Amino acid sequence: MTANNLSIIGSEEWCVFEELEIPAIKARVDSGAKTSSIQANNIKIYTKGAHEWVRFEVNPLQDNRSINIECRARLIDRRVVKSSSGISEERYVIKTPVKVGELIFDIELTLASRDTMEYRMLLGREALSGRFVVNPAVSFNINEMSLKEVSDKYASYVKEKTGLKIAILASNPQLYSNKRLMEAGAARGHDMVFLNVEHAYMKLDANSPEIRYRGGNILNEFDAIIPRIKPAVTFYGCALIRQFDNLGVYCQNSAEAITQSRDKLFASQLFSKNDIHIPITGFAKSPMDTKDLIRMVNGAPLIIKLLESTQGKGVVLAETNKAAESVINAFKSVQTNILVQEFIKEANGQDIRCFVVNGKVVASMQRQAEKGEFRANLHQGGKASVIKITVEERKLAIKAAKVLNLAVAGVDIIRSNKGPLLLEVNSSPGLEGIENATGKDIANSMIVAIERKIKFSLL
């Protein structure tokens, strides 16, 4: 205790919320923030009696989304909060008792729908005032818990694995998307396994076809495969997916669908054939046709894309016809296939990513390119924010995924003076940007889609 009888609190402490049924959550103590906040997903407002209430889900442990607690509380306010990245958003506010050490007091919490915080909770100065003095040099000065104590508190929340056996077929187990899918599957009681594409190999035989894994283990017990194939291993990855399909394993995206989506020229032809509007696009083999190719897409400025480009790489903006000729002919001189596409100036460096799962848009975000950049991809420095898409845009996204026969797709749309235009469809869309921007648990949606597809229901 200090001279003023205030407890000394460290830079991080454990908090307990008995009314929310959260037995322990680690909070970062931040006297620079006025209000306390807690990470929340799937936030829903409903009416109870004469008051508004809010239902939300909390993943209370860092780096573990498999434990998911549904909470309910009365809504007391809506506030506009500016995030650390400078983006303003409306957040819901609740009031609930919190226990820090032996001290119990009411606290206001904003529900932070963006799961970008290192800590699941932030303890602000309103909660600290009159109760604590902060010593940032120490941690857990009020209440320290061992790993075993925390595990014991959450033992009843861990679901027994009684479900499906699902594999993530990818290259990097540490990628956000792959970790989230593993966690989401485990949270629903499934046995989740990570398979490195390049560590698997096949036996092609009419009587006993097999897939084996490094060390000789035969992979023959999976109910479903979630392909997350990077472009560099598309050919081999799709061969493995076909082999799993031959063995009767459900693959969330088929090899044919992935191959079609990765071939930008073929995909564009399919879109045109199915009356899906795209920016005017040209393709030619000979340098003799370059000038007319440029005229065909309404001249410069125009976009030049490598057929195998991803994440905005291999995409060039040519400002003048002369620059366009030079770039196009340079690519052709090294036998590289490209598409030439009209530039939609009125889009102002913005596009829309719609995440489609089993014929439904489960989340949408707007991406804004950095100043001086025309590519809105998050990998190129673009910024993401929530957006409400139009009925026409929703129909376009669903139709594009359906034409390519993709159960899971990231559909990129651009708004033009002619209406929404389809840019491209990604068969292995990343989850991090869109989950953080929208607060939606897309990984869970993908797992639920697998359950429904193979008619599995959790008891």
Side-chain angles (χ1 to χ4, degrees):
M1 303 292 284
T2 68
N4 295 323
N5 292 322
L6 300 181
S7 299
I8 297 176
I9 195 169
S11 60
E12 52 185 348
E13 295 288 351
W14 288 101
C15 298
V16 177
F17 292 94
E18 292 183 356
E19 286 192 4
L20 300 179
E21 298 183 5
I22 298 175
I25 185 167
K26 191 189 297 181
R28 180 167 72 89
V29 177
D30 186 0
S31 58
K34 180 182 178 183
T35 311
S36 301
S37 66
I38 193 167
Q39 171 267 342
N41 295 318
N42 298 324
I43 301 171
K44 304 289 183 186
I45 303 298
Y46 65 100
T47 302
K48 182 178 177 180
H51 302 288
E52 281 190 314
W53 282 61
V54 59
R55 182 173 63 246
F56 57 97
E57 295 172 359
V58 175
N59 306 113
L61 301 181
Q62 288 171 254
D63 300 321
N64 185 350
R65 293 281 293 263
S66 65
I67 292 177
N68 192 59
I69 299 176
E70 185 176 284
C71 306
R72 297 168 187 263
R74 183 177 164 186
L75 183 67
I76 65 164
D77 198 6
R78 291 174 168 86
R79 292 177 193 159
V80 175
V81 176
K82 184 173 285 190
S83 69
S84 57
S85 57
I87 298 174
S88 295
E89 62 174 346
E90 184 183 70
R91 287 189 186 168
Y92 300 115
V93 184
I94 64 170
K95 192 171 187 177
T96 188
V98 63
K99 184 177 181 182
V100 183
E102 297 302 317
L103 191 61
I104 300 175
F105 54 94
D106 284 345
I107 185 176
E108 289 189 357
L109 288 173
T110 63
L111 304 182
S113 60
R114 300 183 184 202
D115 190 20
T116 55
M117 300 176 293
E118 181 186 359
Y119 291 85
R120 293 298 190 242
M121 182 185 166
L122 183 149
L123 200 62
R125 64 176 178 271
E126 283 186 342
L128 303 173
S129 181
R131 300 183 179 97
F132 304 103
V133 173
V134 181
N135 181 356
V138 299
S139 293
F140 310 115
N141 197 58
I142 301 289
N143 184 20
E144 187 164 7
M145 292 188 199
S146 68
L147 185 60
K148 185 181 184 308
E149 286 177 295
V150 176
S151 297
D152 289 344
K153 287 179 180 292
Y154 283 101
S156 63
Y157 292 87
V158 178
K159 293 186 179 179
E160 184 183 350
K161 289 182 172 66
T162 56
L164 303 171
K165 188 165 185 178
I166 302 174
I168 311 296
L169 187 64
S171 297
N172 184 355
Q174 298 307 313
L175 281 183
Y176 177 94
S177 299
N178 298 333
K179 288 170 68 176
R180 283 288 298 112
L181 287 165
M182 295 286 286
E183 291 166 354
R188 295 188 63 81
H190 302 306
D191 185 5
M192 302 298 295
V193 177
F194 183 88
L195 295 178
N196 190 312
V197 175
E198 296 173 68
H199 294 177
Y201 51 100
M202 296 166 277
K203 174 189 174 186
L204 306 178
D205 178 75
N207 295 321
S208 57
E210 291 176 350
I211 296 179
R212 297 197 177 203
Y213 204 61
R214 183 165 288 175
N217 295 321
I218 299 175
L219 306 178
N220 59 358
E221 297 178 352
F222 291 106
D223 298 293
I225 299 291
I226 303 176
R228 304 287 304 176
I229 309 296
K230 64 182 181 182
V233 293
T234 298
F235 178 80
Y236 190 69
C238 285
L240 283 171
I241 294 167
R242 283 192 295 271
Q243 187 79 344
F244 275 116
D245 183 63
N246 291 342
L247 294 171
V249 180
Y250 170 67
C251 299
Q252 194 163 38
N253 276 339
S254 69
E256 180 186 18
I258 293 170
T259 302
Q260 287 181 163
S261 71
R262 295 262 163 99
D263 185 338
K264 286 184 169 54
L265 177 60
F266 183 38
S268 296
Q269 290 174 316
L270 286 174
F271 299 145
S272 297
K273 180 181 178 181
N274 288 277
D275 196 32
I276 293 176
H277 296 282
I278 63 175
I280 298 169
T281 303
F283 179 75
K285 182 67 174 172
S286 171
M288 300 293 291
D289 303 313
T290 299
K291 289 184 184 295
D292 192 44
L293 191 66
I294 292 170
R295 283 194 295 269
M296 193 167 66
V297 298
N298 296 328
L302 55 80
I303 302 294
I304 301 163
K305 289 182 178 180
L306 294 177
L307 282 185
E308 63 273 17
S309 63
T310 60
Q311 300 175 347
K313 299 170 186 175
V315 181
V316 178
L317 172 63
E319 302 272 8
T320 65
N321 285 353
K322 189 170 183 181
E325 282 185 51
S326 298
V327 174
I328 293 168
N329 290 336
F331 277 131
K332 287 181 178 177
S333 70
V334 291
Q335 304 297 305
T336 301
N337 288 318
I338 57 168
L339 291 178
V340 178
Q341 201 166 69
E342 72 171 319
F343 178 61
I344 308 300
K345 184 178 180 181
E346 61 268 23
N348 294 318
Q350 295 177 343
D351 70 13
I352 297 168
R353 162 62 62 90
C354 298
F355 206 106
V356 179
V357 179
N358 276 11
K360 181 182 178 182
V361 177
V362 296
S364 302
M365 66 174 173
Q366 178 175 275
R367 302 182 297 190
Q368 173 68 59
E370 278 190 315
K371 189 175 182 181
E373 173 62 72
F374 70 96
R375 296 166 296 182
N377 306 68
L378 301 186
H379 289 87
Q380 302 300 327
K383 301 296 182 185
S385 58
V386 184
I387 188 172
K388 186 174 182 180
I389 59 173
T390 66
V391 172
E392 190 178 6
E393 289 161 351
R394 186 177 300 275
K395 287 180 178 178
L396 175 59
I398 292 169
K399 186 175 181 180
K402 185 177 180 180
V403 163
L404 293 178
N405 199 29
L406 288 168
V408 172
V411 181
D412 295 340
I413 294 171
I414 196 167
R415 289 175 172 172
S416 78
N417 293 334
K418 297 179 284 187
L421 300 174
L422 178 67
L423 287 179
E424 63 179 294
V425 180
N426 190 323
S427 58
S428 295
L431 304 185
E432 185 170 12
I434 198 162
E435 282 198 342
N436 290 339
T438 64
K440 293 190 176 178
D441 191 345
I442 297 172
N444 182 71
S445 298
M446 290 174 64
I447 300 296
V448 170
I450 290 174
E451 295 171 4
R452 290 174 178 167
K453 199 70 177 178
I454 58 182
K455 297 180 174 58
F456 175 87
S457 60
L458 289 167
L459 297 176

